[in-house]
Amino acid sequence: MLVSKFFKLGRHQATLDFLDVHIDKDLPVFVDPSALRTLRSEWGHHCVSLLQTYFETVLAAMRRGDHVTAKALLACLSERNEFHLGFSKRKSRGHALGPISAERIWKSLISSKAASSGLLEDLEDTVLFVEGVGPDMLSDAVCNIIRGPLIKYTQQACNYYGIPLTPGLDSGPVWNPQAEKWETSLIELPLTKTGPIILVPKVIVRVSQTYGADEYYRHFLMPVLQQHHKDINSQFVHVLRSKKNKGKKKVYKKDLYEAYGADKLAAAKLTAEHPGALANYRETKKLSTTQPLDHVALSKLENTAPPDLGALIDGVKAVKPGKEMAHDYEVAIEKLLSAVLYPSLASPVKQDKIHDGRKRIDITYINEAKHGFFDWLARNYPASHVFFECKNYGKEVGNPELDQLSGRFSPSRGQVGILVVRSLENRTLFLKRCKDTANDHRGFILVLEDSDLPRLVADRGNILADGMGDNLLYQQFKQLIY
């Protein structure tokens, strides 16, 4: 049973910011450290900082010979069941480092000399050089290290979606980077019949980790080693005699595997001798970061139907205009926007308070776009957040509504907003007012009417894609700046 069904949220995965996991078994996905590094949010930066400080603390203990501390730090990445990610086929079991596997990983670190040689810079490097660390174990380790931020995210998500929280539950080990130690406390979490749940943002999960030991060894380390043996004209060099390739030097990977081995210990030793291979691999991975799972992939994982965006539009149109239905309209709009604009916009907050609570924003999204219209916005204009104001009435919308939205802007929060209305009496006049607002340096405001929503859905691919195309949002924005 999925979290959304257990808590009767009336939502499906496309309209949820968190990964809608099963409460009693794992989904075969992973939290990728490289995905965390692509996040633009303060939350993402905090998670990356925790990973760095934890791993640096472990390595520092090993380098100074304090192996008792190192093993204790590793052992606290305990095997718990709250995340429900990974390869467990039945009941969630977790694959992080308990006391027994921590001892095994510690021995592998020592024997490979990866910890002392400087090869290990980030946690994901362990996948390349440390025996016993694979994608599943790395993902669970990452989740445990960022347990603190994930707990806060879970509590915020529960408040947002109406999931009840149960007090007095064990937090599990939470990494304190200032004290460089694990701490526990009693906290609130959602509780199911199989235990507590810690929710994970769906933008940071992947079907595979960015780093892979076999890929690195075969496609990055081996070519460097082959070239090295050509350069020194070693015994592994074969001079080809065929007419087409006569005189050409060839070094076969098979021979090198037999001579050096193909395990992670061999990879660590050879990389220490040829560090350029690892530098090239890291740079390549920075340029080829995997993307968040799309709606279709998530539906297949959860064995659910793909989202019906048309039904979400119908849900908006079913809300009657009027102040008394303003909340219902805001909820319906948020469901649609969250589905259509994922993964560019994430972490929605309704009625976000600013200016010490004196002002509120109907819906605020963090701009996490890596491609398309919202990425272009973030690279060219202040758009770390994108704001939406929803007006559920059918009368003329004018300067007061524009001034209300532009009053929420700031250089740090962002200066791009979208006003969502039922209809406009004079669209041409309203767009002129939006341009006046932009010309006065009071921010950039777009507008969506009910009649625009089918076009928004139809343009989704262009809005999210690198080329962008001539989509509805870009068309409006061009009118503001030209």
Side-chain angles (χ1 to χ4, degrees):
M1 181 180 289
L2 296 170
V3 168
S4 59
K5 298 294 184 183
F6 182 83
F7 289 108
K8 301 177 181 178
L9 300 185
R11 287 175 176 254
H12 48 70
Q13 179 65 89
T15 67
L16 295 168
D17 190 68
F18 61 85
L19 184 67
D20 194 13
V21 296
H22 295 281
I23 67 170
D24 52 357
K25 64 179 182 179
D26 289 348
L27 281 181
V29 294
F30 311 100
V31 173
D32 187 354
S34 297
L36 286 170
R37 291 190 174 88
T38 68
L39 297 181
R40 291 189 171 118
S41 63
E42 182 180 343
W43 186 89
H45 296 161
H46 179 44
C47 289
V48 171
S49 176
L50 289 178
L51 294 178
Q52 291 172 336
T53 58
Y54 168 78
F55 198 50
E56 288 168 0
T57 303
V58 173
L59 293 179
M62 298 187 72
R63 287 166 183 159
R64 66 175 179 264
D66 187 358
H67 299 299
V68 173
T69 296
K71 284 188 279 188
L73 291 171
L74 290 170
C76 276
L77 293 177
S78 54
E79 301 181 7
R80 299 172 67 96
N81 303 328
E82 303 103 328
F83 304 111
H84 296 270
L85 311 178
F87 284 136
S88 298
K89 293 184 177 179
R90 295 185 180 177
K91 183 180 178 181
S92 298
R93 292 190 299 274
H95 291 81
L97 309 184
I100 297 175
S101 55
E103 176 82 15
R104 178 164 49 87
I105 298 303
W106 169 78
K107 287 181 178 178
S108 182
L109 281 166
I110 295 298
S111 61
S112 72
K113 302 187 185 301
S116 59
S117 65
L119 290 181
L120 299 180
E121 293 182 1
D122 297 308
L123 188 65
E124 57 263 48
D125 292 339
T126 58
V127 170
L128 305 180
F129 304 119
V130 181
E131 293 293 348
V133 177
D136 209 12
M137 183 175 287
L138 175 63
S139 177
D140 273 4
V142 169
C143 287
N144 278 287
I145 296 166
I146 65 170
R147 177 183 290 270
L150 286 176
I151 287 172
K152 289 184 179 179
Y153 172 83
T154 299
Q155 293 168 340
Q156 292 168 353
C158 288
N159 290 330
Y160 188 86
Y161 294 112
I163 299 173
L165 289 165
T166 300
L169 299 177
D170 177 19
S171 66
V174 174
W175 177 244
N176 182 331
Q178 287 76 35
E180 295 186 344
K181 65 178 184 179
W182 296 99
E183 298 175 340
T184 61
S185 62
L186 296 179
I187 59 166
E188 293 182 322
L189 283 177
L191 187 64
T192 73
K193 59 186 179 182
T194 60
I197 294 280
I198 296 179
L199 302 173
V200 175
K202 65 185 179 184
V203 294
I204 65 172
V205 299
R206 304 289 189 269
V207 293
S208 62
Q209 296 284 3
T210 298
Y211 277 30
D214 184 66
E215 175 194 44
Y216 168 66
Y217 201 138
R218 183 180 299 274
H219 299 296
F220 289 83
L221 184 55
M222 268 295 160
V224 170
L225 199 58
Q226 286 173 303
Q227 186 59 50
H228 167 71
H229 282 281
K230 290 179 185 178
D231 293 340
I232 65 174
N233 202 29
S234 76
Q235 72 271 25
F236 296 111
V237 174
H238 298 265
V239 179
L240 302 182
R241 300 178 182 274
S242 66
K243 186 176 181 180
K244 182 179 180 180
N245 296 305
K246 188 173 183 179
K248 183 178 180 181
K249 293 181 178 180
K250 181 78 173 179
V251 176
Y252 295 103
K253 290 182 179 179
K254 176 177 65 68
D255 294 339
L256 298 180
Y257 283 133
E258 291 176 356
Y260 293 104
D263 58 13
K264 294 182 180 182
L265 291 177
K269 182 177 183 298
L270 291 170
T271 301
E273 298 170 359
H274 305 280
L278 182 57
N280 185 29
Y281 185 70
R282 286 172 173 156
E283 189 61 32
T284 300
K285 288 303 177 181
K286 285 181 183 178
L287 300 175
S288 61
T289 304
T290 57
Q291 298 305 306
L293 303 180
D294 61 24
H295 292 318
V296 173
L298 289 167
S299 297
K300 289 181 179 178
L301 284 168
E302 296 170 346
N303 196 26
T304 58
D308 185 346
L309 300 181
L312 293 175
I313 293 177
D314 293 341
V316 172
K317 294 182 176 180
V319 179
K320 294 181 179 180
K323 187 175 181 180
E324 65 279 4
M325 299 297 287
H327 173 73
D328 292 41
Y329 182 63
E330 183 181 302
V331 170
I333 287 294
E334 182 270 309
K335 287 182 178 181
L336 176 64
L337 294 174
S338 292
V340 172
L341 301 180
Y342 165 82
S344 290
L345 302 187
S347 303
V349 176
K350 292 198 295 284
Q351 296 301 315
D352 192 18
K353 297 179 182 178
I354 60 173
H355 298 163
D356 297 324
R358 294 187 298 276
K359 293 182 179 179
R360 293 171 181 259
I361 304 167
D362 283 351
I363 310 170
T364 302
Y365 286 93
I366 294 175
N367 187 354
E368 293 288 9
K370 307 299 178 292
H371 304 279
F373 173 71
F374 291 101
D375 176 53
W376 175 81
L377 275 182
R379 287 186 283 107
N380 293 281
Y381 301 92
S384 59
H385 297 75
V386 180
F387 310 107
F388 291 81
E389 286 290 329
C390 305
K391 301 301 178 186
N392 187 39
Y393 43 74
K395 64 181 182 180
E396 172 66 3
V397 178
N399 287 331
E401 289 76 16
L402 284 176
D403 293 341
Q404 179 189 21
L405 182 51
S406 66
R408 273 61 176 164
F409 297 159
S410 78
S412 58
R413 285 191 298 271
Q415 293 182 315
V416 176
I418 299 179
L419 192 61
V420 188
V421 301
R422 305 311 301 254
S423 63
L424 293 170
E425 290 179 5
N426 190 333
R427 185 182 181 94
T428 301
L429 176 60
F430 186 82
L431 293 178
K432 287 181 179 179
R433 288 169 172 166
C434 292
K435 189 172 181 65
D436 291 339
T437 301
N439 289 339
D440 291 342
H441 303 288
R442 293 189 290 119
F444 304 93
I445 296 176
L446 310 178
V447 64
L448 291 173
E449 302 176 71
D450 277 6
S451 58
D452 293 320
L453 299 182
R455 170 77 186 278
L456 181 71
V457 170
D459 282 355
R460 180 175 185 268
N462 285 334
I463 292 171
L464 303 180
D466 268 332
M468 289 200 299
D470 203 17
N471 65 74
L472 174 68
L473 298 182
Y474 185 55
Q475 280 181 349
Q476 275 199 49
F477 202 89
K478 283 195 299 184
Q479 294 177 20
L480 300 180
I481 59 178
Y482 294 133

